[in-house]
Amino acid sequence: QVQLVESGGGLVQTGGSLRLSCAASGRTFSSSTMGWFRQAPGKEREFVAAIRWSTGSTYYADSVKGRFTISRDNAKVTVYLQMNSLKPEDTAVYSCAVVWNYGLGSPKRWGEYDYWGQGTQVTVSS
């Protein structure tokens, strides 16, 4: 059974940093792409970043480029989202997701993924 467990959320001031973790288990992830999404109250869920496990190729939403970094740890089977220079508009529930054997590029729609985590709250105060 595939499980994705997020952690690392919390309350931080504008300009601060947080690192989110997504621990994966239950299947081999070498051919997967893992993504982070976020959903703020009253807004649609949006793509944040993704990483192709086999190559380490990364993809970012324009709104987080230069501030967020996605990475993976093969030994721990964990994907991280390092978030720097946080802004109040980054406040949301952040969730990770995984899909296997995706084609070229990165899946950027929630429905393209196979499994999803429960999410972790990130709140940025002004």
Side-chain angles (χ1 to χ4, degrees):
Q1 181 180 357
V2 174
Q3 284 193 316
L4 302 175
V5 180
E6 302 98 334
S7 61
L11 174 64
V12 65
Q13 292 185 333
T14 296
S17 299
L18 282 175
R19 189 179 78 158
L20 305 183
S21 300
C22 174
S25 62
R27 187 171 166 177
T28 300
F29 290 86
S30 57
S31 62
S32 72
T33 297
M34 297 192 71
W36 284 98
F37 287 78
R38 66 186 182 186
Q39 187 167 23
K43 295 188 176 181
E44 292 189 354
R45 184 180 288 112
E46 65 172 346
F47 170 80
V48 175
I51 185 166
R52 189 177 288 264
W53 200 279
S54 59
T55 63
S57 298
T58 57
Y59 310 85
Y60 296 95
D62 289 342
S63 59
V64 306
K65 277 181 183 176
R67 300 189 299 125
F68 291 11
T69 303
I70 189 171
S71 63
R72 69 191 183 328
D73 184 320
N74 290 328
K76 296 182 178 180
V77 198
T78 298
V79 171
Y80 302 100
L81 186 68
Q82 178 67 44
M83 306 186 295
N84 299 328
S85 302
L86 284 162
K87 307 173 182 179
E89 51 264 44
D90 294 318
T91 295
V93 174
Y94 285 71
S95 301
C96 63
V98 62
V99 59
W100 280 269
N101 302 313
Y102 192 79
L104 295 176
S106 167
K108 296 183 178 180
R109 289 176 292 184
W110 185 251
E112 295 182 287
Y113 287 77
D114 296 323
Y115 292 90
W116 310 269
Q118 293 296 312
T120 184
Q121 176 70 46
V122 172
T123 303
V124 184
S125 63
S126 57

